[in-house]
């Protein structure tokens, strides 16, 4: 009889913890502030991230240039498909005032470096280790790309895989006049 009482107490405690956890989750979801999406025309939030060579890249340092800001992950198949095309277009547009900046989402330097080496990427690749830039830009699905005009304003937001033709026309869109 003593074992049954112990089992009943343990089961009751476990059930109470589960009910509290579910209640907390429902309450948190219901009262969570809505995060405003970055909108076309709004000022792009500034950030500083470090690339694989240890160099800092601050978005505001690119003022006067167009920025092709791409969020990606090594595990993301559409990201993997578009990276070589992004690199080819980077080579075309970098001398025309369009900077490409690829922001990896919280992966290790080793994983990212292997990916960069495999595709021989030449544009700057930075790692958002804390996901703070991803959060500031409210990036959900990958790949996600924001086109930032020479004045530092968001000109276009693209989610999903891009073709090389898309990439070229987007870079043309933010090229300084």
């Amino acid at each position: 009889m003593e074992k049954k009482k112990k089992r009943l107490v343990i089961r009751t405690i476990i059930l109470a913890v589960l009910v509290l956890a579910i209640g907390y989750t429902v309450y948190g979801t219901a009262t969570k502030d809505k995060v405003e999406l970055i909108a076309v025309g709004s000022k792009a939030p500034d950030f500083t991230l470090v690339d694989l060579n240890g160099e800092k890249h601050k978005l505001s340092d690119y003022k006067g240039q167009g920025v092709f800001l791409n969020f990606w992950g090594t595990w993301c198949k559409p990201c993997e498909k578009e990276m070589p095309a992004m690199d080819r277009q980077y080579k075309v547009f970098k001398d025309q005032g369009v900077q490409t900046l690829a922001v990896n989402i919280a992966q290790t330097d080793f994983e990212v470096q292997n990916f960069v080496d495999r595709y021989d990427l030449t544009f700057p690749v930075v790692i958002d280790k804390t996901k703070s830039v991803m959060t500031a830009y409210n990036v959900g699905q990958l790949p996600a790309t924001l086109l930032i005009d020479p004045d530092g304003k968001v000109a276009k937001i693209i989610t999903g895989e891009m073709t090389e033709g898309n990439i070229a026309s987007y870079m043309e869109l933010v090229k300084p006049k």
Side-chain angles (χ1 to χ4, degrees):
M1 200 61 159
E2 188 64 33
K3 273 187 168 179
K4 283 187 176 182
K5 282 185 178 180
K6 268 187 175 177
R7 232 180 305 163
L8 178 64
V9 168
I10 290 172
R11 287 180 179 165
T12 304
I13 291 171
I14 291 171
L15 183 61
V17 168
L18 285 173
V19 167
L20 285 171
I22 291 169
Y24 177 77
T25 302
V26 169
Y27 173 78
T29 302
T31 60
K32 185 171 139 185
D33 289 338
K34 294 285 184 206
V35 176
E36 284 298 312
L37 295 175
I38 298 288
V40 170
S42 64
K43 183 162 177 38
D46 199 15
F47 62 85
T48 303
L49 291 174
V50 178
D51 69 18
L52 295 168
N53 299 320
E55 293 178 36
K56 289 184 179 179
H57 293 267
K58 186 173 183 178
L59 183 64
S60 57
D61 288 345
Y62 297 112
K63 192 164 174 81
Q65 299 180 59
V67 179
F68 188 89
L69 183 64
N70 179 264
F71 292 86
W72 68 286
T74 63
W75 47 266
C76 165
K77 290 301 176 195
C79 302
E80 189 173 358
K81 284 170 131 179
E82 69 186 12
M83 282 290 180
M86 280 174 45
D87 195 59
R88 286 189 294 274
Q89 292 307 310
Y90 165 70
K91 290 172 182 171
V92 170
F93 282 90
K94 70 180 179 179
D95 294 329
Q96 299 178 45
V98 179
Q99 181 60 252
T100 297
L101 195 56
V103 180
N104 176 272
I105 306 301
Q107 290 188 266
T108 66
D109 289 11
F110 179 76
E111 289 172 300
V112 176
Q113 187 66 62
N114 281 343
F115 185 93
V116 167
D117 291 346
R118 184 173 353 133
Y119 291 99
D120 197 25
L121 302 176
T122 58
F123 51 77
V125 175
V126 296
I127 302 174
D128 184 9
K129 294 183 185 289
T130 62
K131 298 184 179 180
S132 60
V133 177
M134 178 183 156
T135 302
Y137 281 84
N138 204 25
V139 171
Q141 126 188 12
L142 297 180
T145 303
L146 286 92
L147 303 176
I148 301 168
D149 70 20
D151 295 323
K153 295 195 172 155
V154 177
K156 189 166 183 69
I157 301 168
I158 304 107
T159 53
E161 185 181 340
M162 298 173 286
T163 66
E164 188 155 356
N166 295 142
I167 294 166
S169 65
Y170 294 149
M171 287 187 174
E172 190 67 46
L173 180 73
V174 293
K175 185 170 80 171
K177 304 297 181 227

